Amino acid sequence: IEQRKLVLAQASATLVNTLRARRAYAPSDGLGDYDPRFLAFEFTRNILLRSNQVELVNDFVSSLTSAKDGTSAMVKQMIMGQGKTTVVCPLLVLMLANGEQLVVLVVPGALLDMSRRVLRATFASVLTKKVGTFECERSTTFDPHLLAKLEKAKSSGSVVVTVPTSVKSLMLRLIE
C-alpha cells in the first residue's frame, strides 16, 4: 500500500507540474490569442515545446508569409538534440502544409527513414496528413504523372520527403 501511495504521489506531482508549465507559444500575461496547432502538436507528440523551438517555427512561418513574391529563403542553426528532426520539422509541416503550397522536406540521406517515421507517427491519428516520398535518379524513367501527384499532395495538405540527390536529379532531368 505504501508503494501505491508513493506512485500516486509521483503521478500527481507530474500532473500538477505539466498543467502548471508555461506554454512557450502562449502570451506571458495569459491574455490574447495563440495558435491552437501548437497545443495540438504538444498533445499528439506528448511533449512540451521549448521557447526556442516555437520562436524558430514562428520565424520560418512569418518569413514565408511575408514574402512578396511567394519565395523566401532562411537558414537557421540548432545544435544536436534540440529537436530539429522530431519537433521543428513536423511542426513546420503542420503550419505550412495547408493546401495552398507544396511542402517538400529535403533531408540528408541518413535521416530519410527517420524523418518519414517521425512525420508518419506525428500525422497518423489526431492531426492527419499524408507523408509521401519523392525519389528520382537520372537513369530511371521519368514519371509522366509526377506533376499531378505533386499537385494532389499540395491540395491535400500532404508533405513530400526527399533527399538532395533526388532534387538534383530532377533538375538535371528537366534541363535535358
Side-chain angles (χ1 to χ4, degrees):
I1 291 188
E2 290 301 316
Q3 180 69 17
R4 287 185 181 171
K5 286 182 181 179
L6 181 62
V7 169
L8 184 59
Q10 289 173 340
S12 298
T14 301
L15 177 61
V16 167
N17 288 337
T18 301
L19 292 174
R20 293 181 67 202
R22 181 183 153 348
R23 301 291 188 233
Y25 49 85
S28 58
D29 59 5
L31 304 173
D33 294 333
Y34 65 90
D35 194 329
R37 293 177 291 187
F38 287 117
L39 183 61
F41 185 82
E42 283 185 335
F43 173 75
T44 59
R45 298 296 298 163
N46 194 26
I47 62 170
L48 185 64
L49 292 169
R50 296 186 212 126
S51 59
N52 64 327
Q53 294 166 332
V54 172
E55 188 177 310
L56 184 66
V57 168
N58 283 334
D59 286 350
F60 274 110
V61 171
S62 65
S63 172
L64 185 65
T65 55
S66 66
K68 293 184 184 355
D69 60 357
T71 61
S72 176
M74 178 182 276
V75 176
K76 295 280 187 168
Q77 184 175 348
M78 291 175 73
I79 62 172
M80 188 172 69
Q82 293 294 304
K84 295 179 294 293
T85 304
T86 58
V87 177
V88 175
C89 285
L91 193 49
L92 279 169
V93 167
L94 177 63
M95 299 294 190
L96 299 175
N98 56 12
E100 296 177 18
Q101 59 217 355
L102 177 63
V103 175
V104 179
L105 180 61
V106 182
V107 299
L111 290 178
L112 180 63
D113 289 333
M114 180 186 170
S115 297
R116 276 192 309 224
R117 208 171 31 252
V118 166
L119 289 170
R120 286 182 177 146
T122 302
F123 300 116
S125 59
V126 177
L127 306 168
T128 56
K129 290 191 180 295
K130 289 185 179 179
V131 179
T133 305
F134 172 70
E135 295 174 344
C136 181
E137 294 180 7
R138 289 184 69 195
S139 60
T140 59
T141 318
F142 194 74
D143 182 3
H145 305 291
L146 176 62
L147 182 59
K149 290 177 183 178
L150 293 176
E151 284 288 340
K152 184 175 180 182
K154 171 188 167 186
S155 64
S156 67
S158 301
V159 59
V160 177
V161 185
T162 190
V163 294
T165 55
S166 290
V167 175
K168 291 175 191 172
S169 294
L170 176 65
M171 299 293 273
L172 291 172
R173 292 291 302 267
L174 292 173
I175 292 172
E176 293 176 340

